[in-house]
Amino acid sequence: MLIRHKSPLDIQPSEITSKSVYRDRRRFLATAAFAGIGATFAPLIGPASIALAAAGTKGRKLEGVIPGPFATDEDKTPYEDITAYNNFYEFGTGKTDPARKAHTLMPMPWKVKVDGAAGKPGVYDYDDLIRPHKLEERIYRMRCVEAWSMVVPWVGIPLADIIKRLEPAANAKFVAFETLVDPKQMPGQRFGALNWPYVEGLRMDEAMNPLTILAVGLYGEEMPNQNGAPIRLVVPWKYGFKSIKSIVRIQFVEEMPPTTWNMAAPREYGFYSNVNPTVNHPRWSQAKERRIGDFLKRKTLPFNGYAEQVADLYAGMDLSKFY
Ligand code: MTE
């Protein structure tokens, strides 16, 4: 993502964290933060995971979760890493800001506004939107545009099931999503690192693809705040920034909707943002990635390894143009 200067008002990790935890965090960051922009050597991060465990708050167990399709059998990234190394600019631009600051987010009660070309528009409580559906575990590879990756056991429901219930009209060609705006809950919104609200969008066929889910938890537990409680999108064949967090609005629209990173830096981030090892980011290669916790880099796969499920969606499109 863009490299931005931190506000001097931001509290430094060293101010609120014990020295040993802070030191281990720095080692963790040394490994992972710039994995995609040329780091060739980095320390192993095992001990950091243990230290970071202290930073994560465990959520409540989700009941009735069934195994879903498409689970990868690769090793899952530890809970402590998934919940301690995040991008969530509403809480600051640093990777450890969300874990330290997202306790101010209040994920319940939660409402989602559905509007645009929908047969069933309205303001839905979390319970109305989510509870009618079975929760599935979806163990997905996730690839960040910064060239690091994780394997996350999400809990969620196919977005297609929800969309069908909302009855989009025939002219609904895209689905647009918005994150909450509330600087009291999201202190990073007092600064202009990005334009708020964070917005994202999918073409309707991407939104309806069986891989796309609205996630409400991970590792069988409620979604931690820093990962986008209570509801976030997960689109595993696209770079992580498409997976918008803490969603409060779903809108069905005819035209391609604006998206946050495309507005911030159009040359660097397109609407589609499919994981593509052959199209480099203007400032770094996308050919390889570092799985958090690994020493060596691995090759990035087209569509993040989900080509069989999604390549058809882009048949005939020049993916270097529609990046
Ligand atoms: N959603 C919102 N609202 N704000 C953000 O800053 N960051 C995105 C995405 N969703 C972001 C967001 C980016 S850049 C990534 S890589 C993923 O969230 C990170 O998700 P994770 O922290 O659960 O790994």
Side-chain angles (χ1 to χ4, degrees), residues 174-218:
F174 295 86
V175 189
F177 303 88
E178 271 181 39
T179 295
L180 176 71
V181 180
D182 182 351
K184 282 205 192 78
Q185 293 188 60
M186 298 180 148
Q189 289 179 333
R190 288 189 223 128
F191 311 105
L194 292 171
N195 285 329
W196 316 113
Y198 194 103
V199 289
E200 257 307 336
L202 294 173
R203 221 169 55 187
M204 185 57 91
D205 57 350
E206 298 176 319
M208 295 296 287
N209 185 276
L211 278 175
T212 308
I213 58 169
L214 281 184
V216 298
L218 53 87

Side-chain angles (χ1 to χ4, degrees), residues 6 11 30 41-42 78 91 109 138 144 163 168 198 207-208 219 237 243-244 254 269 284 315 317:
K6 278 197 160 187
I11 307 165
F41 175 81
F91 296 98
R138 298 282 186 104
C144 183
I163 289 181
Y198 194 103
M208 295 296 287
Y219 269 107
W237 73 94
S243 294
I244 180 173
E254 192 158 6
Y269 311 108
W284 60 83
M317 282 173 70

Side-chain angles (χ1 to χ4, degrees), residues 1 86-90 144 154 179 198 227 232 240-241 243-245:
M1 318 290 1
N86 302 100
N87 274 328
F88 201 169
Y89 276 41
E90 285 84 343
C144 183
W154 299 110
T179 295
Y198 194 103
N227 292 90
R232 68 171 288 170
F241 63 86
S243 294
I244 180 173
K245 297 176 169 182

